[in-house]
Amino acid sequence: MSIKIKQQRRHIILAAAALCAGFALPSAHAADPLRVGLIVPMSGPFASTGRQVEAAVRLFMQQNGNTVAGRTVEIILKDDGGLAPDVTKRLAQELISRDKVQVLAGFGLTPLAFAAAPVATQAKVPMIVMNAATSVIVQRSPYIVRTGFTLAQVTAPLAQWAAKNKIKTVMTLVSDYGPGIDAEKVFVKDFTAAGGKVVASVRAPLRNPDYSPFLARAKDAHPDALFVFVPSGEGSAVLKQFTDRGLAGAGIRLIATGDVLDDDLMPSIGNAALGVISSHHYSAAHPSAENKAYVAAFTKANPGMRPNFHSVGAYDGMHLLYAALQKTKGNSDGPALIEAMKGMSWTSVRGPVTIDPASRDLVQNVYIRKAEQKDGAVYNVEFDQVDKVKDPGVD
Ligand code: PHB
């Protein structure tokens, strides 16, 4: 409501200023609204991703208004349920042909981003991947730009940290699809190259996973540590079973990507996470002024919710779109917008970021964190970092 009122007033002011200066008013085309089709899971097992993305997009627009370079930005939110690529593809097609969106955004899981990529290419519509994190996604369309992260990017620093910190043997457990396979490959490669030994690698199904047989196997193998990647939303099940099955008690350490200790879930995981080392590009406890302001504003607008890395992928996706539109002076043609996005740098709430002009992936810091009590709750507290990590890619 308040955004609408602000926007109307700004239009009047802009028109008056243009008339006084003798300028022509923006053409009807330039003044058309810019429609963004936001496709995320708002229902099903990955609904927390959609909730976080929607909250961040709303917050960004509350803070920055909904007019950029003379264009009113309109978001059309679609729930793809999180698991069916054909649904995501149909929604992307309908958003372009029926709703006339000029930008697609969101994409909770890798198979869904894969499904929409050819639609973006054919329509020459920029596709801002805010969440899905398999390295190869950006290669599926020249119109894709990613504002989240890749599993390869956050796993490589953890493999190196483990090898340097008295972890000699590891078993890996990942979800059996794109990001999990990337995480496994990079962990095995980097940990082995640093002198460690991977004693076994197992993959759990993405749909209806039961982690107990894999954890039983890990208990028997008794490595120094179990490395885990599961997509956000799944972590509490793994942590609970890790403890219940006595792996922690047997002296096996748990090391993980930050997806497992997703901030959205941390309040419910609680003490079961204490001491777990993970690596990721964002923690709600990141100690920068920008992040403190972000967490305070997000929590105020969404009581009881802690912002997670998916929210930050969305918040930065909106930043990138606004900055690119400013650069093109409101031109939303796909090739122009994508060109404007390449090479863009800004200070994100996660730290400094740049869109790599060659890959259209984000270059960013990766942090090593430990789950600890802080201000009466359990947070992933950063204690080490690798600066400006590029997606290392996965063969
Ligand atoms: C993905 O499907 O690419 C994905 C989903 C959730 C994550 C990470 C990757 O936490």
Side-chain angles (χ1 to χ4, degrees), residues 109-128:
L109 283 94
T110 289
L112 312 178
F114 282 163
V119 180
T121 304
Q122 208 196 0
K124 298 192 167 53
V125 162
M127 172 169 158
I128 304 175

Side-chain angles (χ1 to χ4, degrees), residues 308-319:
N308 76 356
F309 64 98
H310 288 309
S311 83
V312 173
Y315 195 73
D316 281 334
M318 291 304 290
H319 174 99

Side-chain angles (χ1 to χ4, degrees), residues 130-257:
M130 298 168 158
N131 316 108
T134 301
S135 287
V136 79
I137 288 173
V138 285
Q139 293 174 33
R140 292 289 177 100
S141 170
Y143 288 90
I144 292 180
V145 58
R146 177 158 35 202
T147 54
F149 73 112
T150 74
L151 261 304
Q153 189 175 42
V154 297
T155 299
L158 184 63
Q160 271 133 32
W161 181 88
K164 278 191 219 128
N165 285 275
K166 302 198 175 111
I167 294 177
K168 298 202 173 350
T169 54
V170 167
M171 175 167 156
T172 65
L173 163 59
V174 300
S175 290
D176 190 7
Y177 79 120
I181 295 165
D182 279 5
E184 179 196 289
K185 283 188 176 168
V186 168
F187 193 92
V188 169
K189 180 165 160 270
D190 286 21
F191 186 62
T192 309
K197 184 163 185 244
V198 175
V199 295
S201 290
V202 290
R203 299 176 181 174
L206 176 63
R207 282 169 193 260
N208 306 316
D210 172 10
Y211 300 106
S212 46
F214 302 106
L215 293 171
R217 200 168 148 199
K219 197 172 175 194
D220 289 344
H222 207 284
D224 292 340
L226 178 69
F227 164 75
V228 178
F229 160 78
V230 289
S232 52
E234 284 292 311
S236 37
V238 176
L239 272 146
K240 187 171 181 310
Q241 292 183 22
F242 188 86
T243 312
D244 290 354
R245 297 204 146 257
L247 278 86
I252 301 170
R253 294 180 67 179
L254 181 60
I255 57 175
T257 65

Side-chain angles (χ1 to χ4, degrees), residues 80 177 256 380 384:
D80 65 7
Y177 79 120
N380 297 302
D384 201 357

